[in-house]
Every structure is written in structure tokens, then in C-alpha cells.
Amino acid sequence: MSAGPGSPVVSGSAPPAGGFVRRVGLFQATAINMSQMCGIGPFVTIPLMVAAFGGPQAVIGFVAGALLALCDGLVWAELGAAMPGSGGSYVYLRQAFQYRTGRLMPFLFVWTAMLFIPLIMSTGVVGFVQYLGYLAPGLGQTSGDLIGLGVIALVVLLLWRGIEHIARITAVMWTVMIASVLLVIVAAATDFSPHLAFTYPAHAFDLTSDHFWLGFAAGLTIGIYDYLGYNTTAYMGAEIKEPGRVLPRSILLSILGIMAIYLLLQIGTLGVVDWHRMTNPDDIASTSVASAVLEKTWGKGAADTVTVLILITAFASVFTGLLGGSRVPYDAARDRVFFRPYEKLHPKHRFPMLGLATMGVITAIGFLIGRHTDLATLIQLLTTVMVIVQALAQIVALTVLRRRQPALKRPYRMWLYPLPSIVAFAGWCVIYGYADRNSPGRHPIEWSLAWLALGCVAFLVWARLEKVWPFGAREISEEYLTPEEPAVV
């Protein structure tokens, strides 16, 4: 069907199956989310969190991050349960904003995902080089840069193959990742000092201090970074059994489970290593705090062994992240929401070559930025990039869809609506608003806006080539409504 540029084309049919089979149950879905959330993050961010707050009260950051993740998770839960297809955010944004701006919002989501997904992966490589410095104390800046770039090249090389081989590699690395986290928690429990963990500096909880709120904003940013991944099953909606029930529960259970693990890890670490050591750039505890915990509790040999496991964990986080991330532009291009070259698959192994190559290059650039500035700045940059187009836009999308498609079947509806949406919106705004103040001289807000503006230009080029809005009709596809349930247009 076609129409003039001012006339939207409306269709309302059930989403195609797309060849996916719903085989993932609640246990597997929760495990998938948790395995994506618990990577190298907590091993490298505990010192950053302590530095942000200036003491053991840094635990507040992980709790605040969990609260934001829970409230934002309820947004994902309602949208994912109502539209359980493959694609996650770009499906929700396409459904909500198509009435006014065509495919602009899902395009911008994919555009920003091309940046923030590899930036997240680059923090894993930075963490890898940091912990390698524990095993090789004389590792210089140039050597570390070359090793990090080599790790990224190796990841891309391992992913340049069929998915059946990748599944076996992923299973082994996931096991090592869980073992490394549990070993650090158990080691900390064997030599735990309540005095170290719960003795706070003067004015630690002074809510009238500007220093406290600057630390809180920085800690909230670091905290939510550590929880990223709670939405993984939303991107796999077409493969989830009983998605209306399983998907919301997998999101909530994974956040609560990871919160418990992170609190045990944070409090346990603070009970073994004096927090002042974590803020001293010349102390190994500031870059390899888990290794410092093991060295003090079980000795240097145990510390070396667990450090190797953490290196594998860092590698695994980059590996699994680029595996899933490289599929985002492919899915969008296949659905005509992004540049068509990204839908091409490897002729033999059937993986998206261009998406993997592009994200590999951006990961390398992000790694060098993190190495030559600091990890906290890199985390600020990646979160500001994703806030506007994914986090805030998706919260708005939930409200828009309640008004535009009131008849949409919603197996799960947000508890206490709209309170969690308001809390999540406020939390993301705090992260965005304080980004420049927590990264003086780095200007992450300006960089995020520049990337967004460049994405709008790219959209206009793409829309012209594809002859879609604003150079053609707005094609409104209410694919999750049945013909008997029209939307409010």
C-alpha cells in the first residue's frame, strides 16, 4: 500500500513469528540477565564508587543504582510483556513514536546503540588491563594499550565464526565469571572487619552538602552502569516462554539477585581493605581491589589465581557484549529501520559482519579514551549517550502507548503507575544533569548532543534513500494490535 507524504499508511496485524521458538523459561531468562549484569563491572567500579562518596558510605551508590534499575525495569517489564518480539527498545520506540515522527526514534536508538554498546565493552577491556597490571606491575602505558587492542582483535576474531562454536565458548567463560565473584565474596568473609566497613568519615551523610550530592550523582551513574543488562531478555522477547509472565519476573528477580551479590561484594571488600587505599592511585587497591582482598586474606598465590579468573571474566564480558550488540544494527536494517548494508550476513557462518566490525572499531577507540583519560569519564560518556534516546524516550513511550493504544494487551501493568516511571525519569535526569560536573573538562553532555545531532543528519540521509517520512508517507504498523483493537490515532 502507498499514500502521499502527508497520509500515513496504517496496518494492524499480529507480528510475524520470524522463525524464533519460545524455549527460554523463567530460570534460564533470569540467568541470562544476571550473567549479562555481572561482568567485570563491580571489580573495577568499587574504588570509583568509594572515591565518589569519599568513604564506606559508597554502599549508597549501589542501593541507589538498584532502585533506579528496579523502577526502570518496570518500564521494560510492561513494554516487553505487551510487545514480546525481537529487538527490545527499537520495537517499543517504533510503536510509540511512529504517529508523529515515522522511524526517527528507532533509527536514533540504533544509532546511539552503535556507540554506547561498544563503549560499555571498552570499559571491560580497560578493566582487563588494570587487573593485568597486578600480575605484571611493570606494565607501561604503551604496552597496556597494545595488549588492550590485541584483546579486542582476539574477541572479534573469535566471534568471526558460526554461532554453534560461540555457544560452547560462552558457557565456559560464564562459569569462570561466577566463580571469580563468589571466591572474592568468600575470601572477604574470612577476614571481615566491621570497623573498617562501617566507620564513616565526618559529615558522610550531610544532606545539605553539595559534596554529598555530587558524590551521589556520580555514584548513581556508576551504580546503574553496574546493573546494565537487566533488560537482556526484553531483546529476546520472541524466544521467551509465556513472555507476559516470565519476562517481567526475570527482570525483577535478576535485579534483586545482582543487588544482593553487589552488596556482599562491596561491603566485604570494605571490610578487608581500608577505603583510603582505594582512593590512592599509587596503591594496587585502586585498580585491582579484588586482587588486594585475596592477597590479604588467602595470600599472593590465591590472589594471582583469582586475578587470572577476573581477567577471563573481563574477556567474557566483552565477548558476550559484542556478540549481542553486533546483532542490533542487523535486526534494524532487516526491518528497514537502519542502513541496509548492516543486514548482510557472512556467506558461510551467517553472522552480521559489518555490525561486528563497526562495533569492534568503536570499542578500540573507547578503550583508548578510557586509558588516556579515566574510567569514570568513559562511564559518564556512555551513560549520557544512552539516556536521551533510550532511557528517557522509553519511559515516555510507555505513557504514549497507554494513550495511543489503550486496547493493547498488557499481561503485566506497571505497579503503582506512574510513580516508578517518575522515579526512573528523575534518576536518569540526575545522571544526565550532573555529567559535566562529575567530568570537568570532558563535556560528556556536549558530546552526547553532538552524537544525537549527527544521528539526525544520518536519519535524513537514510530517509531520503529509503523514501520514508519526511520524504514519504509515515507507515504506521500497529503490529501488536489485532484488527478488532484499533489505536487512537
Side-chain angles (χ1 to χ4, degrees):
M1 301 175 74
S2 63
S7 306
V9 178
V10 182
S11 65
S13 58
F20 290 111
V21 179
R22 297 191 182 278
R23 292 177 175 172
V24 180
L26 179 59
F27 176 80
Q28 296 95 325
T30 305
I32 288 170
N33 279 348
M34 291 182 70
S35 64
Q36 286 294 305
M37 296 164 73
C38 189
I40 187 62
F43 292 119
V44 297
T45 57
I46 287 176
L48 297 180
M49 190 76 83
V50 171
F53 278 91
Q57 69 273 23
V59 174
I60 296 172
F62 284 110
V63 175
L67 178 61
L68 176 54
L70 279 170
C71 291
D72 193 56
L74 294 180
V75 175
W76 283 89
E78 177 168 325
L79 294 173
M83 294 170 282
S86 174
S89 288
Y90 96 86
V91 172
Y92 317 146
L93 298 180
R94 185 179 66 202
Q95 287 295 305
F97 296 105
Q98 62 185 327
Y99 302 99
R100 299 276 186 181
T101 57
R103 301 178 188 178
L104 174 62
M105 288 304 294
F107 180 95
L108 287 178
F109 163 72
V110 179
W111 177 262
T112 54
M114 294 285 288
L115 183 61
F116 74 72
I117 290 176
L119 285 182
I120 293 172
M121 299 309 106
S122 66
T123 63
V125 186
V126 172
F128 181 97
V129 176
Q130 283 185 1
Y131 272 83
L132 185 62
Y134 179 81
L135 298 177
L139 187 67
Q141 183 76 32
T142 302
S143 299
D145 290 349
L146 293 175
I147 289 171
L149 294 174
V151 167
I152 296 168
L154 178 59
V155 168
V156 173
L157 182 64
L158 289 175
L159 289 173
W160 208 269
R161 62 191 64 238
I163 190 66
E164 67 278 3
H165 304 294
I166 291 173
R168 290 192 289 270
I169 297 172
T170 304
V172 173
M173 290 192 293
W174 181 85
T175 302
V176 173
M177 178 176 60
I178 295 299
S180 62
V181 174
L182 292 178
L183 282 170
V184 175
I185 291 174
V186 172
T190 61
D191 192 23
F192 181 77
S193 168
H195 176 75
L196 283 177
F198 302 115
T199 299
Y200 306 106
H203 311 296
F205 302 100
D206 183 3
L207 302 185
T208 62
S209 167
D210 196 41
H211 175 76
F212 175 86
W213 291 110
L214 279 173
F216 178 84
L220 182 62
T221 303
I222 296 166
I224 196 62
Y225 160 78
D226 282 329
Y227 285 99
L228 291 178
Y230 56 85
N231 50 15
T232 303
T233 47
Y235 287 94
M236 303 171 56
E239 300 165 85
I240 303 294
K241 294 179 183 176
E242 302 180 72
R245 180 183 67 88
V246 169
L247 203 150
R249 294 184 181 185
S250 70
I251 291 173
L252 297 177
L253 290 174
S254 62
I255 293 171
L256 293 173
I258 290 296
M259 180 178 69
I261 290 173
Y262 283 175
L263 288 177
L264 288 172
L265 195 61
Q266 169 85 52
I267 295 172
T269 300
L270 287 168
V272 174
V273 177
D274 190 316
W275 68 269
H276 293 91
R277 292 183 58 192
M278 301 184 199
T279 61
N280 180 1
D282 297 324
D283 196 306
I284 195 66
S286 67
T287 55
S288 308
V289 67
S291 302
V293 169
L294 267 296
E295 182 176 323
K296 185 175 180 182
T297 54
W298 293 350
K300 187 67 167 61
D304 289 345
T305 301
V306 173
T307 300
V308 171
L309 296 181
I310 292 173
L311 291 176
I312 298 173
T313 297
F315 187 89
S317 68
V318 179
F319 184 88
T320 55
L322 284 182
L323 169 63
S326 62
R327 271 64 177 171
V328 171
Y330 162 74
D331 286 335
R334 186 186 56 185
D335 294 341
R336 293 187 63 230
V337 186
F338 204 61
F339 293 105
R340 291 192 181 188
Y342 281 93
E343 69 177 329
K344 293 182 180 179
L345 297 176
H346 189 279
K348 179 180 179 182
H349 298 303
R350 312 301 294 170
F351 65 87
M353 298 180 293
L354 186 56
L356 177 58
T358 302
M359 289 196 174
V361 170
I362 298 174
T363 299
I365 295 172
F367 163 72
L368 293 175
I369 292 173
R371 284 278 292 169
H372 292 271
T373 55
D374 57 78
L375 186 58
T377 296
L378 187 58
I379 292 174
Q380 289 281 2
L381 178 60
L382 72 89
T383 49
T384 51
V385 167
M386 66 175 280
V387 164
I388 296 178
V389 175
Q390 183 181 42
L392 296 182
Q394 194 161 279
I395 294 169
V396 173
L398 185 144
T399 300
V400 169
L401 285 170
R402 284 202 174 197
R403 184 174 66 86
R404 287 281 191 178
Q405 298 185 15
L408 178 68
K409 292 182 178 178
R410 293 174 171 84
Y412 167 80
R413 297 177 72 91
M414 176 186 285
W415 302 330
L416 302 176
Y417 175 85
L419 182 59
S421 288
I422 295 172
V423 173
F425 197 92
W428 288 115
C429 286
V430 167
I431 288 173
Y432 195 80
Y434 276 82
D436 276 356
R437 295 186 67 182
N438 282 312
S439 298
R442 307 298 185 192
H443 309 294
I445 291 179
E446 288 82 351
W447 281 107
S448 69
L449 292 176
W451 183 258
L452 186 61
L454 189 60
C456 290
V457 174
F459 171 77
L460 291 175
V461 173
W462 172 82
R464 184 70 177 176
L465 293 172
E466 295 288 339
K467 296 181 175 59
V468 297
W469 182 92
F471 303 104
R474 288 194 306 271
E475 299 175 3
I476 297 176
S477 176
E478 297 155 350
E479 57 194 73
Y480 290 91
L481 285 173
T482 65
E484 296 79 29
E485 298 168 336
V488 178
V489 181

